[in-house]
Every structure is written in structure tokens, then in C-alpha cells.
Amino acid sequence: LSSTSVNAFAPSSLGASVRTQPQSFLSTPTLSSSPTVLFGKKEARAQGNERKNKKERVKKVKDDVIEVEGKVIESLPNAMFRCTIEGAPETQEPVLATISGKIRKFYVKILVGDQVTIELSPYDLTRGRITFRKR
């Protein structure tokens, strides 16, 4: 080996500059004090988590339905029920109502005599959907 050869284990001026460059990069100020702003899915998920912590029952308002209280008077096949509307005259015929999807999903049993909430369509007031069973 000659004395002019470069020692692989000795730090060279090129190697020292490479090592100091990341340190200077890390020493630049970061914007950690700015508030976190969420967009897209994360924003929606954060709003959902805030809504879950509320104890009251929040229901979406639908403009095109008429919501009435009623009583089940007859149980029919295929999850259909005949219901009378409370406060309606005796001459009014009963409403033919079916079970809503949430009641089907959670296997809520509806029996004759139960007090229920019925959504009526403004197009056909003789048919409805049972959306809630009173306890």
C-alpha cells in the first residue's frame, strides 16, 4: 500500500458533509404548533365519533312522510299489520303497515295491541311503515 491511498475507515471531507446535512435538515423549524385540520374520511369519522357520545335519539327529518301514532289491531302474514290511528274517527278504515328495515334488522317483535309510530306516505294514506314500537 502506498501512502497516497485513501483509508476507507478514516472520515473524509465528503463523508463528513453527508453526515452533517441531515442534522441541518432536522434543525429546520417545523409547523407543529398549527391546529390539525381533517379532510375527507377522517373528518367524517371524527364527526361520527362526536355524534356517538350523545345520549339523545337523533332522528333524520323527512319532509315527504306523515308520522302518526297508532295501535296494532291485527297481525297479517309477511310482516304486515293492520293499525288504527290514534285520534282518528271510528269511520276511518285501518292502515295497512309493514315493518321498517331497522325493526327487521334488530328482530323487534310487534304484537297485537302494541302502540307504534307509523309513517304514512302522502300519496297513499291507507298504507304505512312501522318505524318505532313503544315500550
Side-chain angles (χ1 to χ4, degrees), residues 14-81:
L14 178 65
S17 66
V18 171
R19 276 189 226 118
T20 57
Q21 188 178 9
Q23 292 173 352
S24 65
F25 176 75
L26 291 176
S27 64
T28 58
T30 59
L31 301 175
S32 62
S33 63
S34 66
T36 305
V37 180
L38 301 175
F39 296 102
K41 282 185 179 179
K42 290 187 178 183
E43 180 185 14
R45 190 170 291 144
Q47 289 174 353
N49 290 338
E50 290 172 9
R51 192 173 59 243
K52 284 180 187 175
N53 295 333
K54 294 181 181 177
K55 298 296 180 194
E56 62 199 40
R57 181 176 175 227
V58 178
K59 198 171 165 196
K60 294 180 184 174
V61 178
K62 295 185 179 178
D63 297 332
D64 58 342
V65 296
I66 303 163
E67 199 168 70
V68 294
E69 303 296 320
K71 184 176 183 179
V72 177
I73 57 170
E74 185 182 0
S75 177
L76 301 169
N78 296 330
M80 299 288 276
F81 298 91

